[in-house]
């Protein structure tokens, strides 16, 4: 019986160690405690962020940093960040807090592939070298694209509002505006705004 239990324990330990484990970090009060987590450059980041004034900025540091500001944001105690890392992929969820006057800055490694989803607000993405897939339902979205020649595909659309994409030689206003470009670059860009303004600069 003891031999059987020992064998089962070894098998179970091997099974657990054979599969990569997710690492989860949580901060429940972002207004009073900035959030830091190590994350290597050239990874895949999925950012799901509550409404507000959002800045997503690339840096030379191999980590993700989240800070909260704004008149009501600094007074809150329930804006939460949850980061789950699996290999070279990470998912960041930022939730909770007051409805208005919240500013959130998310610092990520400059060389990252991004997926960003925000329901409403003013969102800016800058200093990122990599694929970008950004959706905003309502508000203004500005994405720093760098060199237009660096992209293999570009798809940008606004259901109601305006697109200003000077690096790609396009500017449109009205309903159901879109642009598509293809090239010889290595990165992909997809940007969508439901109602509002989209700027690629």
């Amino acid at each position: 019986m003891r031999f059987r239990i020992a064998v089962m324990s070894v098998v179970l330990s091997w099974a657990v160690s054979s599969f990569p484990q997710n690492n989860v970090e949580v901060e429940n009060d972002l207004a009073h405690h900035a959030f830091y987590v190590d994350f290597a450059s050239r990874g895949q980041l999925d950012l799901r962020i509550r409404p507000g004034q959002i800045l997503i900025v690339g840096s030379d540091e191999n980590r993700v940093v989240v800070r909260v500001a704004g008149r009501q944001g600094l007074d809150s105690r329930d804006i939460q960040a949850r980061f789950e890392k699996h290999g070279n992929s990470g998912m960041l969820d930022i939730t909770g807090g007051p409805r208005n006057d919240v500013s959130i800055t998310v610092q990520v490694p400059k060389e990252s592939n991004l997926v960003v989803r925000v329901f409403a607000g003013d969102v800016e993405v800058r200093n990122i070298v990599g694929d970008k897939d950004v959706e905003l339902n309502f508000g203004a979205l500005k994405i720093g694209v760098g060199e237009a020649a660096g992209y293999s595909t570009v798809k940008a659309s606004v259901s109601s509002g305006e697109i200003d994409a000077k690096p790609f030689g396009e500017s449109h206003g009205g309903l159901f505006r879109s642009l598509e470009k293809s090239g010889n670059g290595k990165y992909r860009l997809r940007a969508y705004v439901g109602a509002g303004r989209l700027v690629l600069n």
Side-chain angles (χ1 to χ4, degrees), residues 5-26:
I5 292 174
V7 171
M8 289 178 65
S9 298
V10 170
V11 171
L12 184 59
S13 298
W14 174 85
V16 170
S17 62
S18 296
F19 293 94
Q21 303 297 301
N22 291 352
N23 297 317
V24 178
E25 300 281 347
V26 177

Side-chain angles (χ1 to χ4, degrees), residues 123-197:
V123 180
E124 181 177 0
V125 180
R126 69 179 186 224
N127 199 33
I128 300 294
V129 179
D131 296 339
K132 305 169 191 71
D133 182 341
V134 188
E135 288 189 9
L136 174 67
N137 291 72
F138 303 97
L141 172 58
K142 180 187 292 186
I143 302 176
V145 298
E147 294 292 330
Y151 293 89
S152 59
T153 61
V154 176
K155 295 182 179 181
S157 61
V158 175
S159 293
S160 176
E162 178 185 354
I163 294 178
D164 185 353
K166 289 184 175 63
F168 303 102
E170 302 259 358
S171 184
H172 306 286
L175 296 174
F176 306 109
R177 299 300 182 182
S178 65
L179 72 89
E180 291 194 21
K181 299 285 185 180
S182 60
N184 298 318
K186 62 185 294 188
Y187 304 119
R188 294 170 295 174
L189 171 63
R190 177 182 173 274
Y192 169 76
V193 174
R197 187 165 190 252

Side-chain angles (χ1 to χ4, degrees), residues 4-54:
R4 220 183 223 179
I5 292 174
V7 171
M8 289 178 65
S9 298
V10 170
V11 171
L12 184 59
S13 298
W14 174 85
V16 170
S17 62
S18 296
F19 293 94
Q21 303 297 301
N22 291 352
N23 297 317
V24 178
E25 300 281 347
V26 177
E27 172 54 60
N28 292 312
D29 185 6
L30 278 176
H32 300 91
H33 306 280
F35 179 78
Y36 302 87
V37 63
D38 292 335
F39 190 77
S41 181
R42 300 179 183 176
Q44 174 76 36
L45 282 169
D46 190 337
L47 312 180
R48 310 294 171 120
I49 306 174
R50 53 141 294 159
Q53 183 174 341
I54 313 297

Side-chain angles (χ1 to χ4, degrees), residues 25 35-39 62-66 83 85 92:
E25 300 281 347
F35 179 78
Y36 302 87
V37 63
D38 292 335
F39 190 77
N62 286 328
R63 62 179 183 172
V64 174
V65 182
V66 183
F83 187 84
K85 182 165 63 173
L92 174 67

Side-chain angles (χ1 to χ4, degrees), residues 54-107:
I54 313 297
L55 171 62
I56 300 165
V57 59
S59 82
D60 293 325
E61 297 183 63
N62 286 328
R63 62 179 183 172
V64 174
V65 182
V66 183
R67 296 183 176 90
V68 166
R71 185 167 57 85
Q72 292 192 35
L74 289 174
D75 291 336
S76 69
R77 293 190 175 275
D78 60 345
I79 302 179
Q80 182 188 84
R82 182 183 187 277
F83 187 84
E84 183 172 344
K85 182 165 63 173
H86 184 81
N88 65 345
S89 298
M91 175 177 285
L92 174 67
D93 283 290
I94 301 176
T95 58
R99 294 182 62 183
N100 302 310
D101 298 316
V102 177
S103 299
I104 299 171
T105 299
V106 181
Q107 174 189 310

